[in-house]
Amino acid sequence: MAKGGGGRGLIWATAEDLARNRPVVLSLYRQILRALNSPELPLGYAARLAKKAECRAIFIFGAEERSLHNIRDLLDTARHTLGLLNRGRLP
């Protein structure tokens, strides 16, 4: 059920779009989980587990997304979050 629109033509992700984004999404997910293990973050064990569960829930919810715009927003947000975590800050 693709709809015509400006720019790229389709607003719904095709199987090809999803396959192309899959390695990027998995890589960002793993990097964020690794960054949450950093000793530089001011988190206790329970808080660290809670943040990991929150991250997992966001990515699971995002895996159901079929809108190209929303997928792009998810990737941008994940990159921004990873940047914050790598600087020792919590998003």
Side-chain angles (χ1 to χ4, degrees):
M1 177 186 280
K3 293 186 177 187
R8 211 168 144 186
L10 299 176
I11 61 171
W12 300 112
T14 63
E16 180 181 302
D17 293 325
L18 297 175
R20 184 175 42 249
N21 287 324
R22 183 177 172 86
V24 176
V25 171
L26 288 174
S27 175
L28 285 169
Y29 174 67
R30 289 179 185 134
Q31 289 177 50
I32 289 172
L33 289 181
R34 267 188 245 122
L36 285 170
N37 282 330
S38 172
E40 294 179 19
L41 292 177
L43 292 173
Y45 182 71
R48 198 172 303 274
L49 288 178
K51 282 289 185 186
K52 286 180 180 181
E54 181 181 348
C55 177
R56 196 171 298 115
I58 290 168
F59 274 87
I60 287 172
F61 177 73
E64 301 293 322
E65 190 55 58
R66 296 292 180 245
S67 165
L68 290 173
H69 300 352
N70 291 344
I71 292 170
R72 199 171 312 125
D73 287 345
L74 175 67
L75 293 176
D76 290 343
T77 302
R79 288 184 184 109
H80 177 72
T81 299
L82 186 58
L84 289 175
L85 289 170
N86 287 336
R87 283 178 273 181
R89 295 174 50 199
L90 292 172

